[in-house]
Coordinates of all heavy atoms in Angstrom, one line a residue:
M1 N 0.8 -1.2 0.0 CA 0.0 0.0 0.0 C 0.9 1.2 0.0 O 1.8 1.3 0.7 CB -0.9 0.0 1.2 CG -1.8 1.1 1.3 SD -3.0 0.9 2.6 CE -2.7 2.4 3.5
A2 N 0.6 2.2 -0.8 CA 1.3 3.4 -0.9 C 0.7 4.5 -0.1 O -0.5 4.6 0.1 CB 1.4 3.9 -2.4
V3 N 1.5 5.4 0.5 CA 1.0 6.6 1.2 C 1.0 7.8 0.3 O 2.0 8.1 -0.3 CB 2.0 6.8 2.4 CG1 1.5 8.1 3.2 CG2 2.0 5.6 3.4
S4 N -0.1 8.4 0.2 CA -0.3 9.6 -0.7 C 0.4 10.8 0.0 O 0.6 10.8 1.2 CB -1.7 9.9 -0.9 OG -2.4 10.3 0.3
K5 N 0.6 11.9 -0.8 CA 1.1 13.1 -0.2 C 0.2 13.7 0.9 O 0.6 14.2 1.9 CB 1.3 14.1 -1.3 CG 1.9 15.4 -0.8 CD 2.0 16.4 -2.0 CE 2.4 17.8 -1.4 NZ 2.5 18.8 -2.5
E6 N -1.1 13.5 0.6 CA -2.1 14.0 1.6 C -2.0 13.3 2.9 O -2.0 13.9 4.0 CB -3.5 13.8 1.0 CG -4.6 14.4 1.9 CD -6.0 14.2 1.3 OE1 -6.1 14.3 0.1 OE2 -6.9 13.9 2.1
K7 N -1.8 12.0 2.9 CA -1.7 11.2 4.1 C -0.3 11.5 4.8 O -0.3 11.6 6.0 CB -1.8 9.7 3.8 CG -1.6 8.8 4.9 CD -2.6 8.9 6.0 CE -2.4 7.9 7.1 NZ -3.3 8.2 8.3
L8 N 0.7 11.7 4.0 CA 2.0 12.0 4.5 C 1.9 13.4 5.2 O 2.5 13.6 6.3 CB 3.1 12.1 3.4 CG 4.5 12.3 3.9 CD1 5.0 11.3 4.9 CD2 5.4 12.4 2.7
A9 N 1.2 14.3 4.7 CA 1.0 15.6 5.3 C 0.3 15.5 6.6 O 0.6 16.2 7.6 CB 0.3 16.6 4.3
E10 N -0.7 14.6 6.7 CA -1.4 14.4 7.9 C -0.5 13.9 9.0 O -0.5 14.3 10.1 CB -2.5 13.4 7.7 CG -3.7 13.9 7.0 CD -4.8 12.8 6.8 OE1 -4.9 11.8 7.6 OE2 -5.6 12.9 5.8
L11 N 0.4 12.9 8.6 CA 1.4 12.3 9.6 C 2.4 13.4 10.1 O 2.7 13.5 11.3 CB 2.1 11.2 8.9 CG 1.3 9.9 8.6 CD1 2.1 9.0 7.7 CD2 0.7 9.2 9.8
V12 N 2.9 14.2 9.1 CA 3.8 15.3 9.5 C 3.1 16.3 10.4 O 3.7 16.7 11.4 CB 4.4 16.0 8.3 CG1 5.2 17.2 8.6 CG2 5.2 15.0 7.5
A13 N 1.9 16.6 10.1 CA 1.1 17.6 10.9 C 0.9 17.1 12.3 O 1.1 17.8 13.3 CB -0.3 17.9 10.3
E14 N 0.6 15.8 12.5 CA 0.5 15.2 13.8 C 1.8 15.2 14.6 O 1.7 15.5 15.8 CB 0.0 13.7 13.7 CG -1.4 13.5 13.2 CD -1.8 12.1 13.0 OE1 -1.0 11.2 13.4 OE2 -2.8 11.8 12.3
K15 N 2.9 15.0 14.0 CA 4.2 14.9 14.7 C 4.8 16.3 15.0 O 5.6 16.4 15.9 CB 5.2 14.1 13.9 CG 4.8 12.6 13.8 CD 5.9 11.8 13.1 CE 5.5 10.4 13.0 NZ 5.5 9.6 14.2
T16 N 4.4 17.3 14.2 CA 5.0 18.6 14.4 C 4.1 19.7 14.9 O 4.5 20.7 15.4 CB 5.5 19.2 13.0 OG1 4.4 19.3 12.1 CG2 6.5 18.2 12.4
G17 N 2.8 19.4 14.9 CA 1.8 20.4 15.4 C 1.5 21.5 14.3 O 0.8 22.4 14.6
L18 N 2.0 21.3 13.1 CA 1.6 22.2 12.0 C 0.2 21.8 11.5 O -0.2 20.7 11.7 CB 2.6 22.0 10.9 CG 4.1 22.4 11.1 CD1 4.9 22.0 9.9 CD2 4.2 23.9 11.3
S19 N -0.3 22.7 10.8 CA -1.6 22.4 10.1 C -1.3 21.5 9.0 O -0.2 21.4 8.5 CB -2.3 23.7 9.6 OG -1.5 24.3 8.6
K20 N -2.3 20.8 8.5 CA -2.1 19.9 7.3 C -1.7 20.7 6.1 O -0.9 20.3 5.3 CB -3.4 19.2 7.0 CG -3.8 18.1 8.0 CD -5.1 17.4 7.6 CE -5.6 16.5 8.7 NZ -6.8 15.9 8.4
T21 N -2.2 21.9 5.9 CA -1.9 22.8 4.8 C -0.4 23.2 4.9 O 0.3 23.1 3.9 CB -2.7 24.1 4.8 OG1 -4.1 23.7 4.7 CG2 -2.4 24.9 3.6
K22 N 0.1 23.6 6.1 CA 1.4 24.0 6.2 C 2.4 22.8 6.1 O 3.4 22.9 5.4 CB 1.6 24.6 7.6 CG 3.0 25.3 7.8 CD 3.2 26.3 6.7 CE 3.0 27.7 7.1 NZ 3.4 28.7 6.1
A23 N 2.0 21.6 6.6 CA 2.8 20.4 6.4 C 2.9 20.0 4.9 O 4.0 19.6 4.5 CB 2.2 19.2 7.2
S24 N 1.8 20.2 4.2 CA 1.8 19.9 2.8 C 2.8 20.9 2.0 O 3.5 20.5 1.1 CB 0.4 20.0 2.2 OG 0.4 19.7 0.8
E25 N 2.8 22.1 2.4 CA 3.7 23.1 1.9 C 5.1 22.8 2.1 O 6.0 22.9 1.3 CB 3.4 24.5 2.4 CG 2.1 25.1 1.9 CD 1.7 26.4 2.6 OE1 2.5 27.0 3.4 OE2 0.6 26.9 2.4
V26 N 5.4 22.3 3.4 CA 6.8 21.9 3.7 C 7.2 20.7 2.9 O 8.3 20.7 2.3 CB 6.9 21.5 5.2 CG1 8.2 20.9 5.6 CG2 6.7 22.8 6.1
I27 N 6.4 19.7 2.7 CA 6.7 18.5 1.9 C 7.0 19.0 0.5 O 7.9 18.5 -0.2 CB 5.5 17.5 1.9 CG1 5.5 16.9 3.3 CG2 5.7 16.4 0.9 CD1 4.2 16.1 3.6
T28 N 6.2 19.9 -0.1 CA 6.4 20.4 -1.4 C 7.7 21.1 -1.5 O 8.5 20.9 -2.5 CB 5.2 21.3 -1.9 OG1 4.0 20.6 -1.9 CG2 5.5 21.9 -3.3
A29 N 8.0 21.9 -0.5 CA 9.3 22.6 -0.5 C 10.5 21.7 -0.5 O 11.5 21.9 -1.2 CB 9.4 23.6 0.6
V30 N 10.4 20.6 0.3 CA 11.5 19.6 0.4 C 11.7 18.9 -0.9 O 12.8 18.8 -1.4 CB 11.2 18.7 1.6 CG1 12.2 17.5 1.5 CG2 11.3 19.4 2.9
T31 N 10.6 18.4 -1.5 CA 10.7 17.6 -2.7 C 11.2 18.5 -3.9 O 12.0 18.1 -4.7 CB 9.4 16.9 -3.1 OG1 8.3 17.9 -3.2 CG2 9.0 15.9 -2.1
T32 N 10.7 19.8 -3.9 CA 11.2 20.7 -4.9 C 12.7 21.0 -4.8 O 13.4 21.0 -5.8 CB 10.4 22.0 -4.9 OG1 9.0 21.7 -5.1 CG2 10.8 23.0 -5.9
S33 N 13.1 21.2 -3.6 CA 14.5 21.5 -3.3 C 15.4 20.3 -3.7 O 16.5 20.5 -4.3 CB 14.7 21.8 -1.8 OG 14.0 23.0 -1.5
I34 N 15.0 19.1 -3.4 CA 15.7 17.9 -3.7 C 15.8 17.8 -5.3 O 16.9 17.5 -5.8 CB 15.1 16.6 -3.1 CG1 15.3 16.6 -1.6 CG2 15.7 15.3 -3.7 CD1 14.5 15.5 -0.9
T35 N 14.7 18.0 -5.9 CA 14.6 18.0 -7.4 C 15.6 19.0 -8.0 O 16.3 18.7 -8.9 CB 13.2 18.2 -7.9 OG1 12.3 17.2 -7.3 CG2 13.1 18.2 -9.4
E36 N 15.6 20.2 -7.5 CA 16.5 21.2 -8.0 C 18.0 20.9 -7.8 O 18.8 21.0 -8.7 CB 16.2 22.6 -7.3 CG 14.9 23.2 -7.8 CD 14.5 24.4 -6.9 OE1 15.2 24.7 -6.0 OE2 13.4 25.0 -7.3
C37 N 18.3 20.3 -6.6 CA 19.7 19.9 -6.4 C 20.1 18.8 -7.3 O 21.2 18.8 -7.9 CB 19.8 19.4 -4.9 SG 19.7 20.7 -3.7
L38 N 19.2 17.8 -7.5 CA 19.6 16.7 -8.4 C 19.7 17.2 -9.9 O 20.6 16.8 -10.6 CB 18.5 15.6 -8.4 CG 18.4 14.8 -7.1 CD1 17.3 13.8 -7.1 CD2 19.7 14.1 -6.8
S39 N 18.9 18.1 -10.3 CA 19.0 18.7 -11.7 C 20.2 19.5 -11.9 O 20.7 19.6 -13.0 CB 17.7 19.5 -12.0 OG 17.7 20.7 -11.3
D40 N 20.8 20.0 -10.8 CA 22.1 20.7 -10.8 C 23.3 19.8 -10.7 O 24.4 20.2 -10.6 CB 22.2 21.8 -9.7 CG 21.2 22.9 -9.9 OD1 20.8 23.1 -11.1 OD2 20.9 23.6 -9.0
G41 N 23.0 18.4 -10.6 CA 24.1 17.4 -10.5 C 24.6 17.2 -9.0 O 25.6 16.6 -8.8
E42 N 23.9 17.7 -8.0 CA 24.3 17.6 -6.7 C 23.6 16.4 -6.0 O 22.5 16.1 -6.3 CB 24.0 18.8 -5.8 CG 24.6 20.1 -6.3 CD 24.2 21.3 -5.6 OE1 24.6 21.4 -4.4 OE2 23.5 22.1 -6.1
E43 N 24.3 15.8 -5.0 CA 23.7 14.7 -4.2 C 23.0 15.4 -3.0 O 23.4 16.5 -2.6 CB 24.7 13.8 -3.7 CG 25.3 12.8 -4.7 CD 26.3 11.8 -4.1 OE1 26.5 11.9 -2.8 OE2 26.7 11.0 -4.8
V44 N 22.0 14.8 -2.5 CA 21.3 15.3 -1.3 C 21.4 14.1 -0.2 O 20.9 13.1 -0.4 CB 19.8 15.6 -1.5 CG1 19.2 16.1 -0.2 CG2 19.7 16.7 -2.6
R45 N 22.2 14.4 0.8 CA 22.4 13.4 1.9 C 21.6 13.7 3.1 O 21.8 14.8 3.7 CB 23.9 13.3 2.2 CG 24.7 12.8 1.1 CD 26.1 12.7 1.5 NE 26.9 12.5 0.2 CZ 28.0 11.8 0.2 NH1 28.5 11.3 1.3 NH2 28.6 11.6 -0.9
L46 N 20.8 12.8 3.6 CA 20.0 13.0 4.8 C 20.6 11.9 5.7 O 20.2 10.7 5.6 CB 18.5 12.8 4.6 CG 17.9 13.8 3.6 CD1 16.5 13.5 3.3 CD2 18.1 15.3 4.1
V47 N 21.5 12.2 6.6 CA 22.2 11.3 7.4 C 21.2 10.4 8.2 O 20.2 10.9 8.8 CB 23.2 12.0 8.4 CG1 23.8 11.0 9.4 CG2 24.2 12.7 7.6
G48 N 21.4 9.1 8.1 CA 20.5 8.1 8.8 C 19.3 7.8 8.0 O 18.6 6.8 8.3
F49 N 19.0 8.5 6.9 CA 17.8 8.2 6.1 C 18.3 7.7 4.7 O 18.0 6.6 4.3 CB 17.0 9.5 5.9 CG 15.7 9.2 5.0 CD1 14.7 8.5 5.6 CD2 15.7 9.7 3.7 CE1 13.5 8.2 4.8 CE2 14.5 9.4 3.0 CZ 13.5 8.7 3.5
G50 N 19.1 8.5 4.0 CA 19.6 8.1 2.7 C 20.1 9.2 1.9 O 20.2 10.4 2.3
T51 N 20.6 8.8 0.7 CA 21.1 9.8 -0.3 C 20.4 9.8 -1.6 O 20.2 8.7 -2.2 CB 22.6 9.5 -0.5 OG1 23.3 9.5 0.7 CG2 23.2 10.5 -1.5
F52 N 19.9 10.9 -2.0 CA 19.3 11.1 -3.4 C 20.5 11.4 -4.3 O 21.3 12.3 -4.0 CB 18.3 12.2 -3.4 CG 17.1 11.9 -2.5 CD1 17.1 12.3 -1.2 CD2 16.0 11.2 -3.0 CE1 16.0 12.0 -0.4 CE2 14.9 11.0 -2.2 CZ 14.9 11.3 -0.9
L53 N 20.6 10.7 -5.4 CA 21.7 11.0 -6.3 C 21.3 10.8 -7.8 O 20.2 10.4 -8.1 CB 22.8 10.0 -6.0 CG 22.5 8.5 -5.8 CD1 22.5 7.8 -7.1 CD2 23.4 7.9 -4.9
V54 N 22.2 11.2 -8.7 CA 21.9 11.1 -10.1 C 22.9 10.1 -10.6 O 24.1 10.2 -10.4 CB 22.1 12.4 -10.8 CG1 21.9 12.3 -12.3 CG2 21.1 13.5 -10.3
S55 N 22.4 9.1 -11.4 CA 23.3 8.1 -12.0 C 23.3 8.3 -13.5 O 22.3 8.7 -14.1 CB 22.8 6.7 -11.7 OG 22.8 6.4 -10.3
K56 N 24.4 7.9 -14.1 CA 24.5 8.0 -15.6 C 24.3 6.7 -16.2 O 24.9 5.7 -15.7 CB 25.8 8.6 -16.0 CG 26.0 10.1 -15.5 CD 27.4 10.6 -15.9 CE 27.6 12.0 -15.3 NZ 28.9 12.5 -15.6
R57 N 23.5 6.6 -17.2 CA 23.3 5.3 -17.9 C 24.0 5.5 -19.3 O 23.8 6.5 -20.0 CB 21.8 5.1 -18.2 CG 21.1 4.6 -16.9 CD 19.7 4.0 -17.3 NE 19.1 3.6 -16.1 CZ 17.8 3.4 -16.0 NH1 17.0 3.6 -17.1 NH2 17.2 3.0 -14.9
K58 N 24.8 4.5 -19.7 CA 25.5 4.6 -20.9 C 24.5 4.3 -22.1 O 23.4 3.7 -21.9 CB 26.5 3.5 -21.0 CG 27.6 3.7 -20.0 CD 28.7 2.6 -20.1 CE 29.8 2.8 -19.1 NZ 30.8 1.7 -19.2
A59 N 24.9 4.8 -23.2 CA 24.1 4.5 -24.5 C 24.2 3.0 -24.7 O 25.2 2.4 -24.4 CB 24.6 5.3 -25.6
T60 N 23.1 2.5 -25.3 CA 23.1 1.0 -25.5 C 22.2 0.8 -26.8 O 21.6 1.6 -27.3 CB 22.6 0.3 -24.3 OG1 22.6 -1.1 -24.6 CG2 21.1 0.6 -24.0
T61 N 22.3 -0.5 -27.2 CA 21.4 -0.9 -28.3 C 20.4 -1.8 -27.8 O 20.6 -2.7 -27.0 CB 22.3 -1.6 -29.4 OG1 23.3 -0.8 -29.8 CG2 21.4 -2.0 -30.6
G62 N 19.1 -1.5 -28.2 CA 18.0 -2.3 -27.7 C 17.2 -2.9 -28.9 O 17.6 -2.7 -30.1
R63 N 16.1 -3.5 -28.6 CA 15.3 -4.0 -29.7 C 13.9 -3.6 -29.5 O 13.3 -3.5 -28.4 CB 15.3 -5.6 -29.7 CG 16.6 -6.2 -30.0 CD 16.4 -7.5 -30.6 NE 17.6 -8.1 -31.1 CZ 18.2 -7.9 -32.3 NH1 17.6 -7.1 -33.1 NH2 19.3 -8.4 -32.6
N64 N 13.3 -3.2 -30.6 CA 11.8 -2.8 -30.6 C 11.1 -4.1 -30.4 O 11.2 -5.0 -31.2 CB 11.5 -2.2 -32.0 CG 10.0 -1.8 -32.0 OD1 9.2 -2.4 -31.4 ND2 9.8 -0.7 -32.7
P65 N 10.3 -4.2 -29.3 CA 9.6 -5.5 -29.1 C 8.5 -5.8 -30.1 O 8.2 -7.0 -30.3 CB 8.9 -5.2 -27.7 CG 8.9 -3.8 -27.5 CD 10.0 -3.2 -28.3
Q66 N 8.0 -4.9 -30.8 CA 7.0 -5.2 -31.8 C 7.6 -5.6 -33.2 O 7.0 -6.5 -33.8 CB 6.1 -3.9 -32.1 CG 5.3 -3.5 -30.9 CD 4.4 -2.3 -31.1 OE1 4.8 -1.5 -32.0 NE2 3.4 -2.1 -30.3
T67 N 8.7 -5.0 -33.6 CA 9.3 -5.4 -34.9 C 10.5 -6.2 -34.8 O 10.9 -6.8 -35.7 CB 9.6 -4.1 -35.7 OG1 10.6 -3.4 -35.0 CG2 8.4 -3.2 -35.8
G68 N 11.2 -6.2 -33.6 CA 12.4 -6.9 -33.4 C 13.6 -6.1 -34.0 O 14.8 -6.6 -33.9
A69 N 13.4 -5.0 -34.6 CA 14.5 -4.2 -35.1 C 15.4 -3.6 -34.0 O 14.9 -3.2 -33.0 CB 13.9 -3.0 -36.0
S70 N 16.7 -3.5 -34.3 CA 17.6 -2.9 -33.4 C 17.3 -1.4 -33.4 O 17.0 -0.7 -34.4 CB 19.0 -3.1 -33.9 OG 19.4 -4.5 -33.7
M71 N 17.5 -0.8 -32.2 CA 17.4 0.7 -32.0 C 18.4 1.2 -31.0 O 18.8 0.5 -30.1 CB 16.0 1.0 -31.6 CG 15.5 0.3 -30.3 SD 13.8 0.6 -30.0 CE 13.8 2.2 -29.3
H72 N 18.8 2.4 -31.2 CA 19.8 3.1 -30.4 C 19.0 3.7 -29.2 O 18.1 4.4 -29.3 CB 20.5 4.1 -31.1 CG 21.5 4.9 -30.3 ND1 22.7 4.4 -29.8 CD2 21.4 6.2 -29.7 CE1 23.3 5.3 -29.1 NE2 22.5 6.4 -29.0
I73 N 19.5 3.4 -28.0 CA 19.0 4.0 -26.8 C 20.1 5.0 -26.3 O 21.2 4.6 -25.9 CB 18.6 3.0 -25.7 CG1 17.6 2.0 -26.3 CG2 18.1 3.6 -24.4 CD1 17.3 0.8 -25.4
A74 N 19.7 6.3 -26.2 CA 20.7 7.3 -25.9 C 21.1 7.2 -24.4 O 20.4 6.7 -23.6 CB 20.1 8.7 -26.2
A75 N 22.3 7.7 -24.1 CA 22.7 7.9 -22.7 C 21.8 8.8 -22.0 O 21.2 9.7 -22.6 CB 24.2 8.4 -22.7
S76 N 21.7 8.6 -20.7 CA 20.7 9.4 -19.9 C 21.2 9.5 -18.5 O 22.1 8.8 -18.0 CB 19.3 8.9 -20.0 OG 19.2 7.6 -19.4
K77 N 20.6 10.4 -17.8 CA 20.8 10.6 -16.3 C 19.5 10.2 -15.7 O 18.4 10.7 -16.1 CB 21.2 12.0 -16.0 CG 22.6 12.4 -16.5 CD 22.9 13.8 -16.1 CE 24.2 14.3 -16.7 NZ 24.5 15.7 -16.4
V78 N 19.6 9.5 -14.6 CA 18.4 9.1 -13.9 C 18.5 9.3 -12.4 O 19.6 9.1 -11.8 CB 18.0 7.6 -14.1 CG1 17.6 7.3 -15.6 CG2 19.1 6.7 -13.7
P79 N 17.4 9.8 -11.7 CA 17.5 10.0 -10.3 C 17.5 8.6 -9.6 O 16.9 7.6 -10.0 CB 16.2 10.8 -10.0 CG 15.3 10.4 -11.1 CD 16.1 10.1 -12.3
G80 N 18.2 8.6 -8.4 CA 18.2 7.4 -7.6 C 18.2 7.7 -6.1 O 18.3 8.8 -5.7
F81 N 18.0 6.6 -5.4 CA 18.0 6.8 -3.9 C 18.8 5.6 -3.3 O 18.6 4.4 -3.7 CB 16.6 6.8 -3.4 CG 16.5 6.9 -1.9 CD1 16.8 8.1 -1.2 CD2 16.3 5.8 -1.1 CE1 16.8 8.2 0.2 CE2 16.2 5.9 0.3 CZ 16.5 7.1 0.9
K82 N 19.7 5.9 -2.4 CA 20.4 4.8 -1.7 C 20.1 5.0 -0.2 O 20.4 6.0 0.4 CB 21.9 5.1 -1.9 CG 22.8 4.0 -1.3 CD 24.2 4.2 -1.7 CE 25.1 3.2 -1.1 NZ 26.5 3.4 -1.4
A83 N 19.5 4.0 0.3 CA 19.0 4.0 1.7 C 20.2 4.0 2.7 O 21.2 3.4 2.5 CB 18.1 2.8 2.1
G84 N 20.1 4.8 3.8 CA 21.1 4.9 4.8 C 20.9 3.8 5.8 O 19.9 3.1 5.9
K85 N 21.9 3.7 6.7 CA 21.9 2.6 7.7 C 20.7 2.7 8.6 O 20.0 1.6 8.9 CB 23.2 2.6 8.5 CG 23.3 1.5 9.5 CD 24.6 1.5 10.3 CE 24.7 0.4 11.3 NZ 23.7 -0.3 11.7
G86 N 20.3 3.8 9.1 CA 19.2 4.0 10.0 C 17.9 3.5 9.3 O 17.1 2.8 10.0
L87 N 17.7 3.9 8.1 CA 16.5 3.4 7.3 C 16.5 1.9 7.1 O 15.5 1.2 7.3 CB 16.4 4.2 6.0 CG 15.2 3.8 5.1 CD1 13.8 4.1 5.8 CD2 15.2 4.6 3.8
K88 N 17.6 1.4 6.7 CA 17.8 0.0 6.4 C 17.5 -0.8 7.7 O 16.7 -1.8 7.7 CB 19.2 -0.4 6.0 CG 19.5 0.0 4.6 CD 20.9 -0.4 4.2 CE 21.3 0.1 2.8 NZ 22.7 -0.2 2.6
D89 N 18.0 -0.4 8.8 CA 17.8 -1.1 10.1 C 16.4 -1.0 10.5 O 15.8 -2.0 11.0 CB 18.7 -0.5 11.2 CG 20.2 -0.8 11.0 OD1 20.5 -1.7 10.2 OD2 21.0 -0.2 11.7
K90 N 15.7 0.1 10.4 CA 14.3 0.3 10.8 C 13.4 -0.7 9.9 O 12.5 -1.3 10.5 CB 13.9 1.7 10.6 CG 12.5 2.0 11.0 CD 12.3 1.9 12.5 CE 10.9 2.2 12.9 NZ 10.6 2.0 14.3
V91 N 13.6 -0.7 8.6 CA 12.8 -1.6 7.8 C 13.1 -3.0 8.0 O 12.2 -3.9 8.1 CB 13.1 -1.2 6.3 CG1 12.4 -2.2 5.4 CG2 12.6 0.2 6.0
K92 N 14.4 -3.3 8.2 CA 14.8 -4.7 8.4 C 14.2 -5.4 9.6 O 13.9 -6.5 9.6 CB 16.4 -4.7 8.5 CG 17.0 -6.1 8.6 CD 18.5 -6.0 8.7 CE 19.2 -7.3 8.8 NZ 20.7 -7.1 8.8
Y93 N 14.1 -4.6 10.7 CA 13.7 -5.2 12.0 C 12.2 -4.8 12.3 O 11.8 -5.0 13.4 CB 14.6 -4.7 13.1 CG 16.0 -5.2 12.9 CD1 17.1 -4.3 12.7 CD2 16.3 -6.5 13.0 CE1 18.3 -4.8 12.5 CE2 17.6 -7.0 12.8 CZ 18.6 -6.1 12.6 OH 19.9 -6.6 12.4
S94 N 11.5 -4.3 11.4 CA 10.1 -3.9 11.7 C 9.2 -5.0 11.3 O 9.4 -6.0 10.7 CB 9.7 -2.6 11.0 OG 9.8 -2.8 9.6

């Protein structure tokens, strides 16, 4: 089951005493800031939680599944997340 942004805002509001609206604004600000850092090529490290990073994928040759024809797949950058020890331990033992 996935937690929606709305539900996450409710959880943050309960833990911080903020209103749901303000908690939602904070979540939006955090995700926007992480996105901006990644698009600038920077890593975002949250100690104990994890690291958001950008990985580079090399160009490769693939196949069109409908025709079987070879096709070029361009190199690209993709966002990624590497869980920190605290997060791994919490999930592992829960």
Side-chain angles (χ1 to χ4, degrees):
M1 183 171 123
V3 175
S4 67
K5 180 181 173 186
E6 183 178 324
K7 178 64 176 169
L8 184 59
E10 286 178 26
L11 295 169
V12 170
E14 288 174 13
K15 292 186 183 291
T16 63
L18 296 172
S19 68
K20 289 180 190 176
T21 302
K22 193 52 105 174
S24 182
E25 290 173 7
V26 170
I27 292 167
T28 299
V30 169
T31 56
T32 300
S33 297
I34 291 171
T35 301
E36 289 171 356
C37 289
L38 292 177
S39 68
D40 291 341
E42 299 177 69
E43 289 184 355
V44 177
R45 293 178 191 212
L46 303 174
V47 176
F49 183 74
T51 303
F52 295 91
L53 47 89
V54 176
S55 299
K56 295 178 183 177
R57 287 193 181 160
K58 294 180 181 179
T60 185
T61 302
R63 293 209 176 272
N64 181 326
Q66 293 178 338
T67 65
S70 292
M71 55 188 281
H72 176 74
I73 301 170
S76 63
K77 294 179 183 178
V78 294
F81 178 76
K82 184 176 178 183
K85 184 178 180 342
L87 178 58
K88 286 180 186 177
D89 289 346
K90 182 69 176 176
V91 172
K92 183 177 180 180
Y93 297 114
S94 61

